[in-house]
Amino acid sequence: FQGTPYYALYQIGAALSKRQVERLLPFVDFQGVLNRQLAETLSLYLSKEGARAQQKGPSLKVGEIEVRLSPEADKVAADWVVRELRTYLKNKKNPTLPSSFALLAVGRITRKGDYALVTLSAEGERLRLGMKKEEGVWRVVELNAEDVQRLLKGYFRGKKG
């Protein structure tokens, strides 16, 4: 079990349910997730305009324009996300988060070599995420941009009502 995507998913659930960000960090590449999320979100938006964004290493290419974020900017963004998550988890008024067993129960993992597609499905909703084995540890490296946008829209609609 240890050293598998299931173990990483279990650890992510344990960290969230116990509200321990430090326990989450080894299993989520926040900087990589943010970079990919930016590229995918821009691609979704620009595809409506006939352009396409592609992530090329540390840069983002939109048509003929190449945007390169500095490693410092990447780190600042990732640190901000971790701080916000820490603040959210510390506030006991925020809803209870899924346990390890809940994530494993709703998760389906399809593994191909050192990459795994994880699909979390419950109550008609889903979140797809990619995991990659890096230095013997499975880590979340990407979230499906369409799933994230749909879930965020639903979340904010619920906040208004």
Side-chain angles (χ1 to χ4, degrees):
F1 185 70
Q2 195 170 7
T4 67
Y6 295 97
Y7 179 77
L9 196 56
Y10 178 88
Q11 292 300 324
I12 290 168
L16 291 173
S17 67
K18 293 179 181 172
R19 300 175 181 270
Q20 298 172 337
V21 172
E22 302 314 317
R23 234 176 122 177
L24 179 69
L25 296 177
F27 301 100
V28 180
D29 176 7
F30 284 100
Q31 199 166 333
V33 168
L34 287 171
N35 284 338
R36 286 177 189 84
Q37 198 66 30
L38 175 63
E40 287 183 28
T41 301
L42 280 174
S43 289
L44 287 171
Y45 174 75
L46 293 172
S47 66
K48 295 173 187 169
E49 306 298 320
R52 186 99 179 128
Q54 297 176 330
Q55 186 176 358
K56 299 270 187 187
S59 64
L60 183 67
K61 191 166 185 175
V62 182
E64 297 300 316
I65 300 170
E66 190 168 332
V67 178
R68 182 170 288 222
L69 295 177
S70 71
E72 294 82 17
D74 284 347
K75 185 171 177 359
V76 166
D79 289 348
W80 177 81
V81 169
V82 171
R83 271 194 317 277
E84 290 297 309
L85 182 59
R86 187 175 283 120
T87 300
Y88 179 87
L89 293 177
K90 280 184 181 179
N91 184 348
K92 300 292 185 189
K93 292 180 182 177
N94 288 326
T96 304
L97 296 160
S99 70
S100 300
F101 297 110
L103 286 182
L104 290 174
V106 301
R108 189 181 80 239
I109 297 175
T110 307
R111 185 174 163 185
K112 187 173 185 178
D114 285 346
Y115 188 82
L117 172 64
V118 180
T119 304
L120 304 172
S121 299
E123 298 179 13
E125 290 292 350
R126 79 167 178 216
L127 174 62
R128 292 169 289 181
L129 48 107
M131 294 180 106
K132 188 175 181 185
K133 189 174 186 179
E134 298 173 340
E135 298 177 18
V137 177
W138 284 90
R139 303 180 79 202
V140 173
V141 294
E142 64 184 301
L143 302 174
N144 180 279
E146 292 173 351
D147 292 352
V148 170
Q149 287 180 354
R150 187 185 65 259
L151 291 169
L152 285 174
K153 282 179 187 173
Y155 172 78
F156 287 121
R157 265 189 247 122
K159 287 293 229 184
K160 286 182 183 177

